[in-house]
Amino acid sequence: MFNRNRSLQQVAAIVSISLVAGCSLLGEEGSDDAGPIVVGTTSAPSTLDPAASWDGSWELFRNVYQTLLSYPNGATTPQPDAATCKFTDGTSRTYRCELREGLSFSNGDKLDAEAVKYTFDRILAINAPTGPAGLLGSLDRVEAVGDREVVFRLNKPDATFPFVLATPGMSLVAPDDYPAKAVREGDGIVGSGPYDLKVYKEGDRAELVRNDRYKGAADRKNGAVTIRYFQDSGEMVKALRGKQIDITYQGLAADDIVALENKSDENDGLQLVEGAATNINYLVFNPKDKWSDKLAVRRAVAQVIDRAALAHKVYKDTVDPLYSMVPKGLTGHTTGFFDDFGDPDPDKARAILDDAGITGPVPLTLWYTTDRYGSDTALEFKEIKTQLEASGLFEVTLKSRPWKTYVVGYQKGEYPVFGRGWAPDFPDADNFIAPFVGEQNALGTPYPEKQITQVLLPRSREESDRANVVKDFQEAQQILVDDARLLPLWQGKQYIAANEDVSGGERALDPSTIMMVWELSRKTSW
């Protein structure tokens, strides 16, 4: 996840849909006598080191590491966690944080101002291709003042910097356990978050227990949580119905969501929670490829793609068509791709190619990941292939890799066209534009669009009232439409399925839809 700012709008309230008459996810919270709460997800970490992760690994990090600021339940702006922070100048360039007293890491080491400085210096020094250093573009230096005061000096005004500090990418690490200039190896974590990582089996499970040294904002409603990692949605739902897990988080496939909505014997004792979300899926065109580099080819693809068909045929209307990189629900959202291209039209696409002197079917190779965005991804790309080839304008080859090697490939610029998903770091339109532009970005495909990077984004970051930057974001989105380097496809919804004795699912998602597992508990009565 690349980051910058999100608008200060709240992720829409989650609505509970009960599959059990008279039940809801709200209930009295009970003890942990039945053992740890078991969460299922198809999104496994790619690393355990925050300096190397800007992806779904953050879902684990949020619960075992600590950040200076975070999002308590219901908050849409960063709140104190390890520290209380504020800008202390009038230009949003000096940001001071005062740490809580008596902080320590899970191994007993002191968490002081020097440890905070070490954490941020380390992120920048390692500068991992898949890491969060890109989020710190406005950071000039970090100063430790005594034991508890940290001063962030910014090289330019950045009203979004508090949002950056609240992302799991800025997780605090113990200096003696995390090398200054290299990614930490191994299957352990030394953090200061609500839980300790007791056991970790890559691709299988993470066992979390309470961190007795923790001092922060999280109000833990359970004593232990186990996160199980599944390869596909069907396997995860089978485990839920068999009571091998208590609740699902990421990765429910459309067919499984539809099946869970039905009242049937196999769904007896289950509940489904549906919530609005701002995660998006999109295609990236790599200018290193001779065909993807042609504007006419990109615009012809944009003219053919049928988003409504993707949403309905593949995702059973569990997602919505998206016509801008900024999702609906955020201040500044537009529908630029629909406004410019209208409904899918192969004849208009042919005219675009003809005007550019491009004849004959254009060969395109589309890449996707097999194990990051859910079981429907393969079906989605088959449908895209079908749509493009049905126009008679393209010959499409599909290729795929597991996420860990897929990331390496797109960071090296190996893929002509590839699919990505984006879960926001925080809810602001900036966070759906800044990560994808500039010489260095989250996609490994340089996109030096100067009007966005040198004018619109810097100007918007001077404005603390995000409602005042709508015009800047609208202009930025139109540039993205004109270039068609990034092609938005759909905006997701958040679905969680749970056994009837689990409470807290409706409270457990922060504005980035990252699960705060400390909100989960078992009910004691009905």
Side-chain angles (χ1 to χ4, degrees):
M1 302 151 129
F2 199 77
N3 107 359
R4 268 307 349 103
N5 0 356
R6 296 176 183 177
S7 111
L8 310 184
Q9 290 191 349
Q10 183 173 1
V11 176
I14 294 176
V15 180
S16 176
I17 303 176
S18 176
L19 299 181
V20 184
C23 302
S24 84
L25 284 184
L26 297 171
E28 297 181 39
E29 293 145 3
S31 68
D32 302 309
D33 294 342
I37 292 175
V38 184
V39 178
T41 177
T42 61
S43 181
S46 62
T47 177
L48 297 183
D49 189 336
S53 170
W54 199 346
D55 60 21
S57 305
W58 286 13
E59 296 156 9
L60 176 62
F61 294 174
R62 175 61 78 200
N63 297 287
V64 293
Y65 289 107
Q66 189 175 21
T67 46
L68 295 171
L69 304 173
S70 64
Y71 298 96
N73 176 249
T76 57
T77 56
Q79 302 297 315
D81 195 339
T84 300
C85 307
K86 64 180 179 180
F87 282 108
T88 56
D89 64 344
T91 61
S92 299
R93 294 183 63 169
T94 301
Y95 198 66
R96 294 179 181 269
C97 295
E98 183 177 354
L99 294 171
R100 292 176 184 261
E101 291 188 28
L103 290 177
S104 65
F105 292 100
S106 56
N107 64 355
D109 287 357
K110 187 177 182 181
L111 199 176
D112 57 11
E114 286 294 342
V116 175
K117 173 177 168 56
Y118 181 90
T119 294
F120 286 85
D121 289 346
R122 177 176 183 267
I123 292 171
L124 293 174
I126 294 175
N127 194 25
T130 56
L135 292 172
L136 298 174
S138 64
L139 179 60
D140 181 44
R141 66 187 186 277
V142 185
E143 300 169 358
V145 183
D147 280 349
R148 294 177 52 208
E149 186 177 356
V150 182
V151 181
F152 296 91
R153 305 287 184 183
L154 307 185
N155 53 37
K156 53 192 170 186
D158 188 356
T160 71
F161 190 70
F163 293 90
V164 173
L165 295 187
T167 67
M170 304 300 120
S171 295
L172 304 175
V173 300
D176 289 344
D177 284 274
Y178 289 75
K181 296 183 179 181
V183 174
R184 186 177 191 267
E185 302 295 337
D187 56 5
I189 282 176
V190 180
S192 59
Y195 297 90
D196 284 338
L197 181 62
K198 180 181 178 182
V199 174
Y200 181 73
K201 300 292 184 183
E202 183 175 354
D204 179 36
R205 71 186 188 279
E207 297 180 12
L208 312 183
V209 296
R210 278 192 183 223
N211 175 10
D212 293 335
R213 291 188 170 92
Y214 172 69
K215 293 183 178 181
D219 179 14
R220 293 166 294 188
K221 297 177 173 62
N222 59 68
V225 173
T226 294
I227 303 173
R228 285 189 53 191
Y229 302 112
F230 293 87
Q231 291 297 312
D232 60 64
S233 173
E235 179 188 0
M236 183 168 63
V237 171
K238 182 179 178 180
L240 178 69
R241 287 173 172 149
K243 298 191 180 301
Q244 296 170 342
I245 64 174
D246 298 299
I247 186 170
T248 69
Y249 168 48
Q250 291 278 21
L252 282 176
D255 285 340
D256 289 319
I257 293 170
V258 172
L260 285 165
E261 288 177 331
N262 296 326
K263 292 183 178 180
S264 62
D265 290 343
E266 65 178 355
N267 290 333
D268 188 33
L270 300 181
Q271 298 175 72
L272 188 69
V273 178
E274 176 187 346
T278 52
N279 61 296
I280 67 171
N281 269 51
Y282 56 98
L283 293 179
V284 182
F285 291 88
N286 185 352
K288 291 182 180 180
D289 177 73
K290 71 174 185 178
W291 292 110
S292 293
D293 188 45
K294 299 181 186 298
L295 176 61
V297 170
R298 301 195 300 267
R299 291 182 65 83
V301 173
Q303 186 64 72
V304 170
I305 289 289
D306 189 339
R307 296 169 177 82
L310 287 175
H312 182 67
K313 293 173 64 176
V314 177
Y315 291 99
K316 309 297 191 293
D317 299 317
T318 61
V319 304
D320 293 323
L322 182 64
Y323 297 95
S324 168
M325 290 299 290
V326 176
K328 61 183 178 182
L330 296 187
T331 299
H333 164 72
T334 69
T335 55
F337 276 91
F338 185 81
D339 298 340
D340 280 25
F341 294 95
D343 292 324
D345 191 326
D347 291 336
K348 289 183 179 179
R350 185 181 301 277
I352 292 172
L353 294 175
D354 287 345
D355 288 345
I358 299 174
T359 59
V362 175
L364 290 177
T365 300
L366 274 60
W367 282 81
Y368 64 92
T369 179
T370 57
D371 59 354
R372 170 58 58 173
Y373 305 123
S375 308
D376 293 321
T377 304
L379 297 176
E380 174 186 357
F381 274 76
K382 288 178 181 177
E383 173 62 21
I384 292 173
K385 173 182 169 72
T386 297
Q387 292 180 9
L388 293 178
E389 292 188 337
S391 70
L393 303 175
F394 302 95
E395 290 180 350
V396 178
T397 300
L398 297 181
K399 293 187 177 182
S400 61
R401 286 177 178 170
W403 177 253
K404 291 191 75 169
T405 54
Y406 185 75
V407 172
V408 175
Y410 73 67
Q411 288 289 348
K412 290 182 177 180
E414 294 178 358
Y415 310 146
V417 187
F418 60 98
R420 277 296 314 267
W422 189 254
D425 306 316
F426 49 85
D428 192 280
D430 181 296
N431 192 232
F432 290 87
I433 297 173
F436 315 127
V437 296
E439 289 291 345
Q440 287 186 312
N441 59 49
L443 301 173
T445 55
Y447 188 4
E449 172 44 62
K450 292 183 178 180
Q451 179 64 12
I452 295 178
T453 60
Q454 297 182 13
V455 178
L456 300 176
L457 290 176
R459 186 167 65 199
S460 72
R461 290 169 186 165
E462 295 179 6
E463 180 58 66
S464 57
D465 186 347
R466 307 307 288 163
N468 293 334
V469 297
V470 170
K471 289 185 178 179
D472 286 338
F473 288 135
Q474 289 175 339
E475 182 179 343
Q477 287 171 85
Q478 188 57 49
I479 291 171
L480 298 181
V481 172
D482 293 341
D483 289 348
R485 284 268 305 268
L486 306 168
L487 188 63
L489 297 174
W490 52 263
Q491 176 175 348
K493 303 174 186 178
Q494 185 68 39
Y495 291 91
I496 296 173
N499 286 317
E500 63 183 11
D501 66 339
V502 173
S503 176
E506 74 288 347
R507 298 191 304 266
L509 300 178
D510 77 2
S512 302
T513 62
I514 292 176
M515 180 168 279
M516 304 176 292
V517 299
W518 60 81
E519 292 287 354
L520 302 175
S521 63
R522 299 190 189 281
K523 300 174 185 176
T524 57
S525 63
W526 294 94

